[in-house]
Every structure is written in structure tokens, then in C-alpha cells.
Amino acid sequence: MDIKSLIPFGRPTALARGAETDPFTAMRREMDRVFEDFTRDWSLPGTYAGASGFLSPKVNVAETEKGIEITAELPGIDEKDIDLDLADGVLTLKAEHRAEKEEKDEKRQYHLVERSYGTFMRRFALPFEPDAEKITAGFDKGVLKVEVPRSPEAEPKGKKITVNGH
């Protein structure tokens, strides 16, 4: 059997150049590549996929001298669809994305309606008692920025401990 007959038409590979001698290894590599190409644009629930409806925006959490700063990228989400909540030392960020698109063309006789919906929820356990009255949130150009300051009563009161040798 001619090994080159196993290579898909128009697809030069190492096998065609004679570098690969095992046709099953070459076939396995080709099948892996086909499945990777086929599923490349699929997103699992929990990854951001644009119009597919699944949301998991990128979120950065940074601890500052004053408290915690959270930045979340929420492209395509309206400010009214964002919900922030603080309860029992946990900050909850919820967002909902809704998009609907409709196209018609009587001359070309087609009608297209696309809808996508997605929700996102992320919870952040705060490592300190927050000053709930001073939490601020701003939303600009698809980026949400939340600043959670520490409560003045929760400021760490450290004590120097001396270590004695035996």
C-alpha cells in the first residue's frame, strides 16, 4: 500500500516528505489536528464566547494599601444589567448579556433572527472587614472598576513578637 494515499489531498505533511514511516502515527496526528481545528471556536460554559451566550469576563483583583480593587471586562453589557452585592464579607458581581439581531431582505428572500443570552456571576471573599459605605463602582467603555476599602476598625493591629533561643 502506498503511504501517500493516506494523506488528505492537497495537504503536504512530513509523511509526504518521507520523514514519517508509520502510517498510523501520521493518521493519528491528522485526526487530532482535524478535531482541534473543528472545535477551536467552541467555548465551554464559563468561557467568554461573544454571541454564544456564555460569559466569563476577565477579572483582575489587586490588593492596595486602602483595600481591594476589582476590574472586570464586560464588553457588550449595559450598565443596567450589572448587579453588585455585598453580604457576609462576600462581594458578588452578576451581569447579564442580551443581544438580538434581525435582518430581512425581500429582494434576496431571506430573514435572519439571531438571539444570544448569557449570564455571569463571580463571588469574591474579602480577606478583611470592608467599609461598606465607601465601596465605589464605575463603569466606562465596557470596563467595571470596583474599589472596596478596608474598615477603619479592621485595620491590622500588629504586635512585634521576639524570638528567644534556648
Side-chain angles (χ1 to χ4, degrees), residues 3-156:
I3 293 177
K4 290 182 182 179
S5 67
L6 295 175
I7 300 171
F9 178 76
R11 207 138 189 182
T13 64
L15 182 60
R17 293 186 295 274
E20 188 77 49
T21 57
D22 182 15
F24 296 107
T25 302
M27 186 170 72
R28 172 63 188 249
R29 283 193 185 128
E30 186 65 19
M31 291 300 293
D32 287 345
R33 188 203 56 77
V34 167
F35 281 108
E36 285 173 12
D37 288 350
F38 182 68
T39 60
R40 179 170 292 133
D41 292 331
W42 290 9
S43 295
L44 299 172
T47 63
Y48 186 77
S52 73
F54 299 116
L55 295 175
S56 183
K58 294 179 181 169
V59 176
N60 293 330
V61 179
E63 188 167 2
T64 65
E65 290 179 12
K66 297 178 183 179
I68 285 186
E69 185 177 285
I70 299 170
T71 307
E73 295 178 14
L74 303 170
I77 294 178
D78 292 329
E79 183 177 340
K80 64 179 175 47
D81 294 326
I82 299 171
D83 185 33
L84 285 169
D85 182 75
L86 176 67
D88 299 324
V90 177
L91 180 71
T92 302
L93 165 61
K94 289 191 271 186
E96 187 173 333
H97 171 74
R98 287 182 231 108
E100 190 168 319
K101 176 180 154 185
E102 184 172 349
E103 292 180 19
K104 277 186 177 182
D105 190 345
E106 296 298 328
K107 291 179 184 176
R108 293 169 44 189
Q109 298 180 353
Y110 80 87
H111 184 194
L112 170 71
V113 177
E114 292 181 342
R115 293 179 186 96
S116 66
Y117 301 94
T119 57
F120 164 72
M121 184 172 74
R122 184 90 183 258
R123 291 191 170 147
F124 304 93
L126 301 175
F128 54 80
E129 183 67 33
D131 189 347
E133 300 301 317
K134 293 186 179 176
I135 295 175
T136 61
F139 189 65
D140 186 34
K141 298 179 183 172
V143 177
L144 175 70
K145 184 176 181 182
V146 181
E147 293 179 1
V148 183
R150 287 182 180 86
S151 172
E153 296 88 39
E155 289 297 321

